[in-house]
Amino acid sequence: HDNGSIYVVFGQYTHRLSAELDVLATVRLPRERPYNSFVILPDGCIAAKDFGGLRPGQDEPDDYEGTEVVVLEPEWLEIVGRRLVPEPSIARLRAERSDVYAGGESSLWRVRWSGSELTLDSGYRALYRTLPGQGYGWDAVLENGAAWFHDNGRGTERYAGSLRGLGVSRTPSNLVHVHLMTGEVTLTDICGLQGGVVANPPVIDPVRRVVVAYDSGNGVVTGFRIDPRGVTGRLWSRELNHAAHMLRYPSGELVLCDYDHERRMEQVLVVDIETGQEYARADTGSPVQSVLFPAPGFGRDFYLVSFTTLTRCEVV
């Protein structure tokens, strides 16, 4: 945060920590369910939301009306705004200035923060779930005036060391493009195979006008060219068991993962974002497939994390 603090939203709590990880403030959030997302707004306030999906071991989600977005002031974490989104949201929040976008089970919704009031934009609802057997969307990336995300998120709660083969959708997985101004939706097929599943977003290169999407259930990663309307044409496709966030560098290098089921070993690889050409590959030491966030280092290095292992990698 600009004030030097670190903020954590986990379970039903938000914590403000110092740079030395001392607890400065804590608040219990209003709903009796986990909160899985937050964004920092331009005025420093924090918008968070509860999780509306299945958790491991559940057959049905919690019986709550929709999803509630809350805004907290950054000093003592007092709740200063609350607004209900009309359907459950599994995906993490995204924000464009003071507009907060919540991906619901079937639509992308917009909630607006005025600095003192949180309101639902009743004229904005981007319906993306329009195909028989199509699953809900996961996290969006806001880029080039659009929200980009994957559908077919159902099945991620069945994760057991890998997402391969765990999809339950009857419709092939799609890359979803939503125009932020008009709400117009475009679906682009990723690999044409049923049973897809995903738990993370695509990656966008606005300079090269490339988007890379993937289907973790079928182990396919595909690169597309973006035209001015957001309609995409296929550039390349590779069979890779990738499930984590991707890491893109300005050089056009893209960091991906590839889980080896026979050896029970996650591998990391660097490819060219426009061609899919592989430059380098190495074992990470993780016996499970990562579905988490990597982080860049301070040079030609980066960090990968799975549920078991933290790995530092360096390109030499």
Side-chain angles (χ1 to χ4, degrees), residues 199-276:
N200 285 304
V203 69
I204 316 297
D205 187 328
V207 175
R208 294 170 180 82
R209 301 197 64 81
V210 172
V211 53
V212 178
Y214 54 94
D215 175 352
S216 302
N218 291 297
V220 177
V221 180
T222 304
F224 300 93
R225 183 73 72 189
I226 307 169
D227 77 9
R229 296 179 299 122
V231 179
T232 53
R234 191 180 302 266
L235 284 173
W236 55 270
S237 188
R238 295 191 56 178
E239 293 186 5
L240 296 169
N241 289 312
H242 177 88
H245 273 242
M246 294 175 279
L247 193 59
R248 176 185 64 83
Y249 285 88
S251 61
E253 295 165 309
L254 181 67
V255 178
L256 298 171
C257 295
D258 188 14
Y259 185 67
D260 186 330
H261 287 84
E262 292 187 3
R263 296 195 300 129
R264 294 180 180 271
M265 175 62 66
E266 180 95 302
Q267 293 189 305
V268 61
L269 60 156
V270 179
V271 305
D272 183 281
I273 198 169
E274 291 189 277
T275 67

Side-chain angles (χ1 to χ4, degrees), residues 283-307:
D283 289 349
T284 68
S286 174
V288 299
Q289 184 180 49
S290 174
V291 292
L292 305 176
F293 298 71
F298 298 96
R300 296 282 288 168
D301 61 332
F302 54 87
Y303 295 82
L304 298 174
V305 61
S306 75
F307 288 129

Side-chain angles (χ1 to χ4, degrees), residues 21-282:
L21 305 186
D22 297 317
V23 178
L24 303 177
T26 294
V27 65
R28 184 182 176 96
L29 297 168
R31 284 191 156 187
E32 296 287 338
R33 62 195 304 180
Y35 285 67
N36 76 321
S37 179
F38 74 100
V39 290
I40 298 175
L41 302 175
D43 63 359
C45 287
I46 296 155
K49 74 158 188 73
D50 56 273
F51 176 70
L54 291 173
R55 301 197 296 277
Q58 285 186 312
D59 295 321
E60 296 293 333
D62 297 331
D63 186 20
Y64 276 84
E65 181 186 2
T67 288
E68 186 181 54
V69 178
V70 298
V71 174
L72 301 90
E73 56 81 27
E75 294 301 311
W76 301 108
L77 305 181
E78 177 186 355
I79 295 176
V80 292
R82 299 175 67 170
R83 186 59 56 187
L84 186 71
V85 174
E87 62 179 355
S89 173
I90 294 88
R92 299 176 183 93
L93 293 176
R94 292 293 184 261
E96 179 78 6
R97 296 182 293 275
S98 294
D99 289 342
V100 179
Y101 291 86
E105 283 188 323
S106 64
S107 303
L108 183 70
W109 303 85
R110 181 162 62 200
V111 182
R112 309 196 115 155
W113 172 242
S114 68
S116 60
E117 185 180 9
L118 197 60
T119 58
L120 179 69
D121 186 345
S122 59
Y124 189 94
R125 180 187 180 185
L127 178 66
Y128 67 84
R129 199 170 174 181
T130 56
L131 303 174
Q134 183 184 12
Y136 59 72
W138 262 105
D139 308 344
V141 175
L142 304 186
E143 188 65 73
N144 281 6
W148 303 81
F149 56 94
H150 299 115
D151 63 5
N152 290 347
R154 180 72 182 268
T156 53
E157 72 281 355
R158 302 166 63 200
Y159 173 87
S162 168
L163 287 176
R164 185 66 184 261
L166 297 186
V168 297
S169 65
R170 301 190 305 275
T171 299
S173 295
N174 295 283
L175 170 66
V176 183
H177 172 277
V178 179
H179 195 287
L180 291 185
M181 292 295 294
T182 67
E184 180 183 1
V185 177
T186 302
L187 302 179
T188 302
D189 178 21
I190 294 173
C191 64
L193 301 174
Q194 293 186 354
V197 68
V198 72
N200 285 304
V203 69
I204 316 297
D205 187 328
V207 175
R208 294 170 180 82
R209 301 197 64 81
V210 172
V211 53
V212 178
Y214 54 94
D215 175 352
S216 302
N218 291 297
V220 177
V221 180
T222 304
F224 300 93
R225 183 73 72 189
I226 307 169
D227 77 9
R229 296 179 299 122
V231 179
T232 53
R234 191 180 302 266
L235 284 173
W236 55 270
S237 188
R238 295 191 56 178
E239 293 186 5
L240 296 169
N241 289 312
H242 177 88
H245 273 242
M246 294 175 279
L247 193 59
R248 176 185 64 83
Y249 285 88
S251 61
E253 295 165 309
L254 181 67
V255 178
L256 298 171
C257 295
D258 188 14
Y259 185 67
D260 186 330
H261 287 84
E262 292 187 3
R263 296 195 300 129
R264 294 180 180 271
M265 175 62 66
E266 180 95 302
Q267 293 189 305
V268 61
L269 60 156
V270 179
V271 305
D272 183 281
I273 198 169
E274 291 189 277
T275 67
Q277 177 186 350
E278 184 173 324
Y279 295 138
R281 176 186 291 253

Side-chain angles (χ1 to χ4, degrees), residues 3-20:
N3 63 16
S5 296
I6 298 169
Y7 291 84
V8 179
V9 177
F10 186 80
Q12 202 182 343
Y13 290 86
T14 298
H15 307 281
R16 179 188 175 194
L17 309 178
S18 71
E20 294 74 35

